[in-house]
Amino acid sequence: MPPSALPPKPCASLSSTPFTGRRIRAAVIGTGAIGRGSHLPALDRLAREGETEVVAAVDIDKGAVEAFCAQAGIPYAYTDLDRMLAEQRPDLVSICTPPILHRAQTVAALRAGAWVWCEKPPVPALADFDAIEAEEGADVGPYAAIVFQHRFGSGSAHVRRLLAAGALGRPLVAHCQTTWYRDAAYYAVPWRGRWHSEGGGPAMGHGIHQMDLLLDLLGPWSEVRAMAGRLVHDVETEDVSTALVRFRSGALATVVNSVLSPDEVSRIRIDCERATVELTHLYGHANDNWRITPAPDVPAELAEEWRDFGPDAPSSHLVQLRELVAGMRAGRRPRGSGADGRTSLELITALYKSAFTDTTVRAGGIGPGDPYYTALHGGAPGWAPVTAEEVPA
């Protein structure tokens, strides 16, 4: 893997960015299912549109990364991230590895001058997220964005506009549901179900998408009251949680996250003064997955306007990546980064703290010095990992 003989990256001028007039050079970190099935196809699609080129991939498994690159036509395969960053100097790094690796890999990429697009869960704790944000560029990047593809697409964009404009009236009551099913074989993967490597259970690893979309639609939350249980699986984390969330607007929501539910569904419902908006799907949504039911006094023609979602652009990695690349070219912070990306992780952290301490947790209340700032289990008895010294003889 010889170093590429690339010229120095051009500096930005007042009327351009470092990416003006050329393709954005991307690298994929982690060649497992999410890298193969979601990130690479999105990057390839933008490559066909003249926006990107994938120049390298990295994986600790030499055979896996070489096979990945050979199949995808990627010129350089690496087993060492730092070497790849130094030799290839990518503009964008797509991180598809287990959560425990996200902080170190994201920081390394940012320090090398690359923007980052990182799979969820972003990092295992708020302290890790804040450490990443401290490495970002001040004005025009590089920035690190989280893969929150459910925010993107024509359906969520249309509903977001209606809510922001007040067309549907005040949001009053909401329900956010991620009820999926995972068996013992799923948790046989060593890093799953463990606080250190996965960060959390279904609230963190599964429900984060719907909770993030709910927050994107309804805005800031103010307090949460939660419960969690370990009802079936032999794991460190929970396998089900429920929560009551109050939003700054006054709206109230219930949130359910489960991996115990044979009838799998992802659902968001928002009851507003003039209409109910409902999204029902599983792993991704299109326009047809949304339903708007007007209140009885809403004129039929107005209800039809609300139901006109326009051309269908389903939620996907591609839709988010296209917006991210546009942000790179404009030197603009992307959605899902910085404070905007942190809000979902803060809610999840507060959910765990509330469940494990039997208290109401308010937004902004978890910071340095709080045990939940550095680990989602917070050291709570019965939930924190058992050390070797604690195991009975």
Side-chain angles (χ1 to χ4, degrees), residues 156-171 216-219 270 272 277:
S156 56
H158 177 66
V159 171
R160 189 183 306 110
R161 285 192 296 267
L162 289 175
L163 291 170
L168 308 182
R170 288 187 303 127
D216 194 51
L217 295 174
L218 292 187
I270 303 173
C272 302
V277 178

Side-chain angles (χ1 to χ4, degrees), residues 27-235:
V28 178
I29 316 303
T31 60
I34 196 69
R36 291 192 311 269
S38 297
H39 286 245
L40 186 59
L43 287 163
D44 282 345
R45 174 63 180 273
L46 289 190
R48 294 197 299 272
E49 297 174 7
E51 289 287 346
T52 62
E53 59 177 329
V54 182
V55 298
V58 181
D59 198 288
I60 58 173
D61 185 327
K62 187 174 186 290
V65 70
E66 288 179 348
F68 181 86
C69 288
Q71 183 177 10
I74 299 171
Y76 293 98
Y78 289 84
T79 57
D80 186 295
L81 173 60
D82 291 333
R83 183 179 176 190
M84 185 280 291
L85 292 170
E87 293 181 356
Q88 299 304 321
R89 291 175 292 165
D91 306 308
L92 173 64
V93 168
S94 185
I95 295 180
C96 312
T97 54
I100 188 59
L101 303 174
H102 289 176
R103 172 177 172 172
Q105 292 175 340
T106 299
V107 168
L110 289 170
R111 288 180 176 176
W115 292 50
V116 175
W117 192 37
C118 182
E119 265 299 329
K120 63 80 189 169
V123 283
L126 287 171
D128 300 309
F129 192 96
D130 292 347
I132 287 173
E133 191 173 1
E135 298 288 343
E136 292 182 321
D139 298 315
V140 295
Y143 299 117
I146 307 164
V147 176
F148 280 142
Q149 76 272 20
H150 288 208
R151 286 191 191 190
F152 297 83
S154 53
S156 56
H158 177 66
V159 171
R160 189 183 306 110
R161 285 192 296 267
L162 289 175
L163 291 170
L168 308 182
R170 288 187 303 127
L172 302 172
V173 183
H175 177 67
C176 179
Q177 175 183 352
T178 306
T179 43
W180 294 356
Y181 186 81
R182 297 293 184 266
D183 60 14
Y186 175 85
Y187 284 105
V189 176
W191 60 267
R192 288 182 176 148
R194 301 184 183 279
W195 294 109
H196 175 69
S197 51
E198 193 169 17
M204 180 68 154
H206 304 85
I208 188 172
H209 276 306
Q210 297 314 297
M211 286 187 283
D212 179 74
L213 178 54
L214 183 72
L215 291 169
D216 194 51
L217 295 174
L218 292 187
W221 63 279
S222 60
E223 61 182 13
V224 60
R225 193 75 158 86
M227 293 187 293
R230 191 188 294 122
L231 303 185
V232 172
H233 295 292
D234 183 17
V235 292

Side-chain angles (χ1 to χ4, degrees), residues 9-25:
K9 290 183 181 178
C11 296
S13 69
L14 292 177
S15 59
S16 67
T17 72
F19 316 114
T20 299
R22 66 176 180 87
R23 291 173 181 260
I24 286 174
R25 294 166 49 81

Side-chain angles (χ1 to χ4, degrees), residues 160-352:
R160 189 183 306 110
R161 285 192 296 267
L162 289 175
L163 291 170
L168 308 182
R170 288 187 303 127
L172 302 172
V173 183
H175 177 67
C176 179
Q177 175 183 352
T178 306
T179 43
W180 294 356
Y181 186 81
R182 297 293 184 266
D183 60 14
Y186 175 85
Y187 284 105
V189 176
W191 60 267
R192 288 182 176 148
R194 301 184 183 279
W195 294 109
H196 175 69
S197 51
E198 193 169 17
M204 180 68 154
H206 304 85
I208 188 172
H209 276 306
Q210 297 314 297
M211 286 187 283
D212 179 74
L213 178 54
L214 183 72
L215 291 169
D216 194 51
L217 295 174
L218 292 187
W221 63 279
S222 60
E223 61 182 13
V224 60
R225 193 75 158 86
M227 293 187 293
R230 191 188 294 122
L231 303 185
V232 172
H233 295 292
D234 183 17
V235 292
E236 290 180 349
T237 67
E238 88 290 2
D239 54 16
V240 62
S241 67
T242 63
L244 302 176
V245 181
R246 188 188 306 274
F247 284 80
R248 193 181 297 171
S249 67
L252 299 177
T254 61
V255 178
V256 180
N257 300 298
S258 166
V259 288
L260 310 179
S261 309
D263 183 11
E264 296 186 293
V265 69
S266 304
R267 179 178 292 124
I268 286 178
R269 172 179 169 135
I270 303 173
D271 296 319
C272 302
E273 291 175 308
R274 305 187 71 195
T276 292
V277 178
E278 189 167 10
L279 167 66
T280 304
H281 66 114
L282 188 53
Y283 299 136
H285 52 82
N287 286 352
D288 287 346
N289 296 113
W290 294 83
R291 185 176 65 181
I292 298 180
T293 304
D297 61 342
V298 172
E301 59 273 17
L302 181 56
E304 287 307 305
E305 288 181 17
W306 294 346
R307 290 169 172 152
D308 182 4
F309 283 74
D312 195 3
S315 66
S316 67
H317 283 68
L318 174 61
V319 178
Q320 181 176 3
L321 180 61
R322 182 172 282 124
E323 185 173 307
L324 173 60
V325 167
M328 291 178 68
R329 294 197 181 280
R332 179 179 65 242
R333 176 179 284 282
R335 285 200 289 156
S337 70
D340 182 54
R342 191 182 191 273
T343 182
S344 299
L345 182 58
E346 186 189 7
L347 175 60
I348 292 166
T349 305
L351 183 155
Y352 282 117

